[in-house]
Every structure is written in C-alpha cells, then in structure tokens.
Amino acid sequence: MHPETPWGLDEATAAVAQQPTEIDLLPFELKILKADAPTETLALTLRPQTLELEPGQRWLLRSDSSQVHLSRQQGEALLKVGGQEVTASDLRPGERLELLGRTMWLVDTRAPFLGSLEGYSGEYSGRVWNLSYQSYRMGRRGSARQNDIELNHPTVSRTQATLYPGEGGEVFVLCETASSPVLVNSVAVGAQQSVRLQGGDSLQLGELTFRFRQVQGGSKTSYFPTDGTLPPAIGAYTVVGKLGSGGMGVVYEGRDLEGREVAIKVPMPHLLGDSEFVRRFNREMKLGTHLDHPRVTRIVFFEPAGAENYPYMVMEKLNGMNLERQPLPLPLSQALDWTGELLEALAYLHSQGVVHRDLKPANLYRVETGIKIADLGIAHFSGTVGDRATQTGTILGTPVYLDPAMLRGQTADARADLYACGLLLYEWIVGSLPYPSDPLQIFRIKLSEDLPPMTDSNPQLPVPLCQFVDKLIHPFPEGRFASAQDALEALEILRADLKA
C-alpha cells in the first residue's frame, strides 16, 4: 500500500468518482502532483503517447488492457519506481513514480473486481479474496517466496499456483509445481499449464477447496445501474433486490454462494472523495467484524476503501421492521421489554469498548427475537484517542437523540448511549418527543430546558418509572447510570416492583 496523498486517501480510491465512461479505451490515469500547481491528470489510452514534463525530457507511455509501460526516449532524467532508479519500467496500478521532481500515481480506472475466490474448507471457510487486474501467487504461508494469498496447510506447496488476468478480464490459474496438484472441478491441471476459471468453478490446492465467482458488469459504476436494473453481483455475492437507497448509498439484498440471505451496503461514488467519510465507513466495518451478539447485526464480510477495491459491507439480512415505522405509544410492558433488550446490546458494545453515538428508531429493527441494533455508522472505540470529528468541532449524531454533553464540547462516552436509550423509552411511552424540526432549536432546548415530565401526558404513570427515565436522560453524564449494566439491573428491579 503506498502512502496517503494530501487528500487523506490513496489516489486510486479518490479517482473512483472521476472515472471515465469508456473503460475499454481509457484503462488508466496518471495523477501528477506538483508543489506549485494543481494536480494534473493524464489519461492513458491504448495508443502510445509521449510524456514531456520538461523541454528535452521525453518519455514514451504505452498501455494495453493489463499494464502501462514507461520508457525514456530523450534526455538524461532518471525515473524512480518504488525508490529504485530505472530507465524503463512496467507499472502496476497504485505505483508511486518520481520523475523530474514530480510525484505521480498510476490509477487503474477499470473494474475493481474480475472475480472473487472464497474459501470452502478449514480455517479459510467463508473467507473471500477479491481479484483485480494483477497476478496473485498462492502458496504456503511463511515460504521464502512471499505469496499474495498465503495458505496455512501442510498439503499446500510453498509455491503452488498463480491466478492472473487475461486481456478481456478473464481469470486464469497457472499450476506452478508438479509436487502438489491443482484441480479445477476435480480435474488436475498439469505443471506450468493454465486453465481459465469460469464462474462457479471449484479450485483445489492440496486439501483446501475454493470457489471462484466471475464478476460481471465491467465498471465500478455498475454497482449503481441507471436503467432500473440491479448489478448482477458484488464481490462473491449475487444481488437479488434493493432494500433501500439514499444520498449516502444503496443497500442491496443478496445471496452468498450457499444461498444465505445478506444485505450489501455500498456507498455512493462521490463520497469516496471525502476522506472523513472513507475513514468512518472503514471504521464501521472494522468495528462490526469484531462484534458477536444476538442484539447487534452481524457483519459477514467487508471490503475497505483502498487502492484497487471499491468498498462495500455485507451484513446479515434482518427480516423485520424498522422502528421508524412503529406506531406509538407502546404498551408499557412492551416499552420496558424493548428497553431491556436495547440495554443488553449496549452493555455488550460498551464491554467491547464501543460507543454507538447514534441510537435512533431508524437504526433499530424489530425481529423475531426482539430488538436489534442495525447500524454502527458513527460508532467508535471509547479507548481511542483523537477522534477527528470531535477535534474539529463537528457534531456527529441525530439532533433529537444527541447527548447535550456533546453540545457543550465534551467527548461522548458510553453514557451518551444511555441518554439516547432514555429518550427512546420516553418516546415509546409518551408517543413523541417535544422537539421542533429545526436542529438549532433542538440544540437550544437541550442546553437550556428539561423535557416535560411524562406525567404531563399520562398522570397515571408510576413514579419509579419516571425516576428511571429521568436518570437515563439527565442533562449531565455524571447524573446518569454509571453503565448500561447498572441501568439494566435497575430496570429489572423496576419491572419486578411494577408487577408486585
């Protein structure tokens, strides 16, 4: 991975939103960064062209469907590729070049995926490798020759196979050794022989089995068809429907290779130019893969934003109802049941060092087993230092459910989630929250006024219940429960008292 550019993310990612429409004729871009001038973009077509950065210094650029070649034609200037001085070089996407004081990045503007390889046995079961326009060496982990896909199994040779792209986007497998067979659909591939992989093919190395899925569509924007159709696949997942969409992205309904239902979350291309969005999206995915609780939506797989990949996240599909559509108010017993389930989820998240920071009805689902948190969009590890959004004064969260402590400049901790939980319980019991639609007015009220007592809407509500809610929504964190576990224990006592 090359260093980050001045925009906060690698250039291959930033270029996604600027990709050309004629992918076949314009496979690469060369980004030239100058200290004294704006960024220049040179489109590399399939035809040879001359690059002249200074008078008398000429370089010939050639590109085909799989690579770019740069060679010196005139002058004595040296080219550095990966820190090494050369007079000619075959360049790989993501390569950093230095020439005449210019720093350049080669950007691949073709499809990020040619196909996906998914493990079907051992410790690799369910693991997915997305394949792009490059070769991938496959072999035993820790061998003298570094492998792109390292496999930890004694039946795999140190250098067993290579996956490589064809000019038309096909993927081939080359058997590198005769000592350990490579099988495609149970048929052995001879040493130094190649076989083209087709979608659905099984690939066996030693006793490890993989499944190949061919990705169709060609362009990164194929994830967002404009003709009303659906992308046929995203990574190793077949797309079968659309669950929702908005300005931030699209959530597709999909199936994995075993036919299991999943939800696939894909951000819009224009957002990938925003380094803060990319950072938060990658963080949400990384957070979710480490979490395992029945009240928290499980993330099955994620592809982070990077040099050669378009980001997306694959989650378990929730077959239930978003609480944003839930009629209110709720019966008291149901409101307390949901609050208990939500506190269970929060107690787990907080025990893992995760603060959600954006609890609201839209992020909660009612499924057969109860309430489930569906989104970790702006969650963060409570032990991390220097959340950039907080440092720069940006307030992240939904205004109605936002902790007033954050409006005072305090860092959000786990008690911010308890505040939001208390507001949800208030809303479920009363039927609504007394806030206007203007965020600035909401902030003003939160900083200067308390919520009306719940007994204003229902004088028959038990005093202990009102006291419990008031402790959750105390305007200052130190006035709330110390933890979600403490709040859950207090809720159990309250429910027992109400039944008595």
Side-chain angles (χ1 to χ4, degrees):
M1 180 68 67
H2 53 68
E4 287 193 332
T5 67
W7 299 283
L9 72 164
D10 55 76
E11 266 303 308
T13 302
V16 170
Q18 305 170 6
Q19 58 190 312
T21 55
E22 296 182 351
I23 299 295
D24 292 337
L25 299 179
L26 188 58
F28 301 101
E29 290 179 348
L30 194 64
K31 296 285 187 180
I32 305 171
L33 312 183
K34 290 182 172 183
D36 57 349
T39 303
E40 297 177 5
T41 300
L42 179 67
L44 308 184
T45 67
L46 299 180
R47 297 179 295 277
Q49 56 191 289
T50 299
L51 172 65
E52 187 168 6
L53 297 180
E54 297 287 352
Q57 306 288 353
R58 299 177 62 190
W59 294 76
L60 179 66
L61 281 160
R62 294 183 292 106
S63 62
D64 56 27
S65 62
S66 60
Q67 67 181 13
V68 174
H69 183 81
L70 178 63
S71 58
R72 189 172 66 203
Q73 299 296 294
Q74 184 177 340
E76 298 301 322
L78 291 175
L79 168 70
K80 287 186 178 181
V81 178
Q84 301 295 318
E85 295 182 350
V86 296
T87 57
S89 179
D90 289 325
L91 309 176
R92 295 184 303 171
E95 197 94 70
R96 177 184 174 127
L97 323 175
E98 296 177 43
L99 178 61
L100 295 173
R102 285 9 176 213
T103 299
M104 294 171 279
W105 306 89
L106 184 64
V107 179
D108 190 344
T109 59
R110 300 165 301 183
F113 308 122
L114 299 181
S116 296
L117 196 68
E118 181 168 351
Y120 261 68
S121 58
E123 64 179 285
Y124 301 102
S125 178
R127 182 172 176 182
V128 178
W129 290 269
N130 286 310
L131 310 176
S132 60
Y133 275 92
Q134 68 178 70
S135 297
Y136 295 85
R137 295 186 296 268
M138 303 180 67
R140 193 188 308 166
R141 181 181 301 164
S143 63
R145 176 187 179 186
Q146 184 177 0
N147 294 302
D148 299 295
I149 299 177
E150 293 191 334
L151 304 171
N152 184 25
H153 199 278
T155 64
V156 176
S157 297
R158 295 183 181 276
T159 304
Q160 184 150 359
T162 297
L163 301 173
Y164 66 93
E167 292 190 0
E170 311 90 344
V171 175
F172 294 84
V173 58
L174 168 68
C175 180
E176 298 274 14
T177 177
S179 61
S180 181
V182 173
L183 288 80
V184 176
N185 297 329
S186 301
V187 177
V189 180
Q192 300 305 312
Q193 292 185 347
S194 297
V195 172
R196 177 183 174 181
L197 296 177
Q198 306 281 351
D201 282 353
S202 66
L203 173 64
Q204 185 175 340
L205 279 68
E207 295 180 2
L208 297 180
T209 302
F210 307 86
R211 182 68 58 83
F212 174 72
R213 178 178 290 280
Q214 183 79 45
V215 175
Q216 306 294 331
S219 162
K220 292 171 184 173
T221 55
S222 65
Y223 288 172
F224 309 96
T226 58
D227 58 359
T229 62
L230 297 171
I234 296 177
Y237 301 89
T238 302
V239 176
V240 298
K242 182 186 288 188
L243 298 174
S245 63
M248 303 295 284
V250 177
V251 180
Y252 291 112
E253 180 181 359
R255 301 285 188 276
D256 67 9
L257 295 178
E258 298 295 330
R260 292 181 292 254
E261 294 182 331
V262 295
I264 309 167
K265 183 177 181 179
V266 186
M268 289 298 189
H270 72 273
L271 294 172
L272 301 186
D274 180 349
S275 60
E276 177 62 18
F277 173 85
V278 170
R279 188 178 71 91
R280 293 207 312 268
F281 188 87
N282 284 350
R283 180 176 60 186
E284 176 187 0
M285 293 189 283
K286 291 176 183 177
L287 283 174
T289 56
H290 292 88
L291 301 176
D292 184 13
H293 190 274
R295 303 267 176 231
V296 179
T297 301
R298 184 170 59 93
I299 292 183
V300 179
F301 173 77
F302 77 92
E303 186 69 60
E308 297 174 351
N309 41 1
Y310 195 96
Y312 63 92
M313 170 172 34
V314 182
M315 305 167 286
E316 64 171 315
K317 181 176 177 289
L318 299 181
N319 293 310
M321 185 186 72
N322 185 301
L323 292 194
E324 204 170 29
R325 304 194 301 271
Q326 173 66 41
L328 298 176
L330 299 176
L332 180 57
S333 60
Q334 185 178 0
L336 295 180
D337 286 346
W338 285 7
T339 302
E341 293 165 358
L342 182 54
L343 286 172
E344 288 176 10
L346 292 178
Y348 170 75
L349 289 176
H350 297 167
S351 73
Q352 302 300 304
V354 177
V355 182
H356 191 283
R357 300 197 298 178
D358 196 25
L359 289 175
K360 57 185 177 181
N363 286 340
L364 300 175
Y365 266 72
R366 181 184 182 182
V367 296
E368 288 185 0
T369 56
I371 296 300
K372 204 156 192 172
I373 295 178
D375 200 322
L376 294 175
I378 61 172
H380 76 146
F381 281 111
S382 57
T384 56
V385 178
D387 186 293
R388 182 161 60 187
T390 301
Q391 287 180 335
T392 58
T394 300
I395 298 174
L396 295 177
T398 303
V400 169
Y401 302 94
L402 189 70
D403 183 355
M406 295 181 66
L407 299 175
R408 301 187 196 100
Q410 295 175 246
T411 301
D413 63 15
R415 293 169 295 183
D417 289 344
L418 297 184
Y419 177 85
C421 179
L423 284 183
L424 287 166
L425 177 55
Y426 184 110
E427 186 176 18
W428 291 339
I429 294 174
V430 173
S432 62
L433 291 171
Y435 290 124
S437 59
D438 182 5
L440 293 180
Q441 290 296 319
I442 294 174
F443 294 160
R444 183 190 63 78
I445 294 172
K446 282 180 174 284
L447 290 173
S448 61
E449 303 176 19
D450 293 332
L451 284 176
M454 291 194 300
T455 50
D456 286 0
S457 64
N458 184 356
Q460 303 303 316
L461 289 174
V463 172
L465 170 64
C466 297
Q467 291 173 337
F468 176 76
V469 175
D470 288 344
K471 191 171 180 67
L472 284 173
I473 62 174
H474 196 284
F476 294 92
E478 53 271 21
R480 302 169 198 156
F481 292 99
S483 68
Q485 186 60 41
D486 286 352
L488 183 59
E489 293 172 2
L491 176 62
E492 292 307 314
I493 294 173
L494 171 63
R495 296 170 74 176
D497 290 343
L498 294 178
K499 290 180 180 179

